[in-house]
PDB file of all heavy atoms in Angstrom:
ATOM      1  N   GLU A 869      21.799 -25.712 -12.508  1.00  0.00           N
ATOM      2  CA  GLU A 869      20.623 -24.907 -12.804  1.00  0.00           C
ATOM      3  C   GLU A 869      20.673 -24.617 -14.306  1.00  0.00           C
ATOM      4  O   GLU A 869      21.734 -24.631 -14.926  1.00  0.00           O
ATOM      5  CB  GLU A 869      20.657 -23.560 -12.049  1.00  0.00           C
ATOM      6  CG  GLU A 869      20.412 -23.708 -10.531  1.00  0.00           C
ATOM      7  CD  GLU A 869      18.981 -24.052 -10.234  1.00  0.00           C
ATOM      8  OE1 GLU A 869      18.037 -23.732 -11.040  1.00  0.00           O
ATOM      9  OE2 GLU A 869      18.724 -24.659  -9.169  1.00  0.00           O
ATOM     10  N   TYR A 876      24.138 -23.961 -15.757  1.00  0.00           N
ATOM     11  CA  TYR A 876      25.094 -23.319 -14.784  1.00  0.00           C
ATOM     12  C   TYR A 876      25.393 -24.379 -13.741  1.00  0.00           C
ATOM     13  O   TYR A 876      24.487 -24.888 -13.059  1.00  0.00           O
ATOM     14  CB  TYR A 876      24.492 -22.090 -14.186  1.00  0.00           C
ATOM     15  CG  TYR A 876      24.097 -21.041 -15.203  1.00  0.00           C
ATOM     16  CD1 TYR A 876      22.898 -21.096 -15.907  1.00  0.00           C
ATOM     17  CD2 TYR A 876      25.006 -19.990 -15.517  1.00  0.00           C
ATOM     18  CE1 TYR A 876      22.559 -20.173 -16.862  1.00  0.00           C
ATOM     19  CE2 TYR A 876      24.659 -19.051 -16.505  1.00  0.00           C
ATOM     20  CZ  TYR A 876      23.451 -19.160 -17.157  1.00  0.00           C
ATOM     21  OH  TYR A 876      23.129 -18.217 -18.139  1.00  0.00           O
ATOM     22  N   LEU A 883      31.870 -21.607 -10.763  1.00  0.00           N
ATOM     23  CA  LEU A 883      30.582 -21.645 -11.497  1.00  0.00           C
ATOM     24  C   LEU A 883      30.902 -21.849 -12.988  1.00  0.00           C
ATOM     25  O   LEU A 883      31.616 -21.014 -13.557  1.00  0.00           O
ATOM     26  CB  LEU A 883      29.831 -20.329 -11.308  1.00  0.00           C
ATOM     27  CG  LEU A 883      28.490 -20.262 -12.016  1.00  0.00           C
ATOM     28  CD1 LEU A 883      27.478 -21.284 -11.465  1.00  0.00           C
ATOM     29  CD2 LEU A 883      27.926 -18.861 -12.003  1.00  0.00           C
ATOM     30  N   HIS A 908      24.759 -23.030  -2.737  1.00  0.00           N
ATOM     31  CA  HIS A 908      23.486 -22.907  -3.333  1.00  0.00           C
ATOM     32  C   HIS A 908      23.564 -22.003  -4.518  1.00  0.00           C
ATOM     33  O   HIS A 908      24.326 -21.028  -4.539  1.00  0.00           O
ATOM     34  CB  HIS A 908      22.422 -22.396  -2.262  1.00  0.00           C
ATOM     35  CG  HIS A 908      21.044 -22.488  -2.800  1.00  0.00           C
ATOM     36  ND1 HIS A 908      20.382 -23.695  -2.961  1.00  0.00           N
ATOM     37  CD2 HIS A 908      20.154 -21.538  -3.145  1.00  0.00           C
ATOM     38  CE1 HIS A 908      19.147 -23.472  -3.406  1.00  0.00           C
ATOM     39  NE2 HIS A 908      18.973 -22.183  -3.544  1.00  0.00           N
ATOM     40  N   LEU A 909      22.715 -22.295  -5.525  1.00  0.00           N
ATOM     41  CA  LEU A 909      22.775 -21.563  -6.789  1.00  0.00           C
ATOM     42  C   LEU A 909      21.352 -21.425  -7.368  1.00  0.00           C
ATOM     43  O   LEU A 909      20.598 -22.400  -7.366  1.00  0.00           O
ATOM     44  CB  LEU A 909      23.680 -22.316  -7.776  1.00  0.00           C
ATOM     45  CG  LEU A 909      23.609 -21.921  -9.244  1.00  0.00           C
ATOM     46  CD1 LEU A 909      24.195 -20.536  -9.427  1.00  0.00           C
ATOM     47  CD2 LEU A 909      24.345 -22.937 -10.093  1.00  0.00           C
ATOM     48  N   GLU A 910      21.023 -20.229  -7.799  1.00  0.00           N
ATOM     49  CA  GLU A 910      19.785 -20.006  -8.556  1.00  0.00           C
ATOM     50  C   GLU A 910      20.104 -19.007  -9.678  1.00  0.00           C
ATOM     51  O   GLU A 910      20.989 -18.148  -9.533  1.00  0.00           O
ATOM     52  CB  GLU A 910      18.677 -19.484  -7.679  1.00  0.00           C
ATOM     53  CG  GLU A 910      18.155 -20.501  -6.707  1.00  0.00           C
ATOM     54  CD  GLU A 910      16.869 -20.053  -5.944  1.00  0.00           C
ATOM     55  OE1 GLU A 910      16.188 -19.122  -6.470  1.00  0.00           O
ATOM     56  OE2 GLU A 910      16.572 -20.645  -4.940  1.00  0.00           O
ATOM     57  N   TYR A 917      22.582 -16.173  -8.713  1.00  0.00           N
ATOM     58  CA  TYR A 917      22.587 -15.872  -7.292  1.00  0.00           C
ATOM     59  C   TYR A 917      23.309 -17.047  -6.626  1.00  0.00           C
ATOM     60  O   TYR A 917      22.907 -18.191  -6.754  1.00  0.00           O
ATOM     61  CB  TYR A 917      21.175 -15.710  -6.728  1.00  0.00           C
ATOM     62  CG  TYR A 917      20.387 -14.677  -7.507  1.00  0.00           C
ATOM     63  CD1 TYR A 917      19.679 -15.023  -8.667  1.00  0.00           C
ATOM     64  CD2 TYR A 917      20.374 -13.340  -7.127  1.00  0.00           C
ATOM     65  CE1 TYR A 917      18.973 -14.086  -9.396  1.00  0.00           C
ATOM     66  CE2 TYR A 917      19.650 -12.402  -7.864  1.00  0.00           C
ATOM     67  CZ  TYR A 917      18.951 -12.790  -8.981  1.00  0.00           C
ATOM     68  OH  TYR A 917      18.243 -11.871  -9.680  1.00  0.00           O
TER      69      TYR A 917
END
Side-chain angles (χ1 to χ4, degrees):
Chain A
E869 290 288 334
Y876 301 82
L883 179 68
H908 189 69
L909 166 67
E910 291 191 18
Y917 307 86

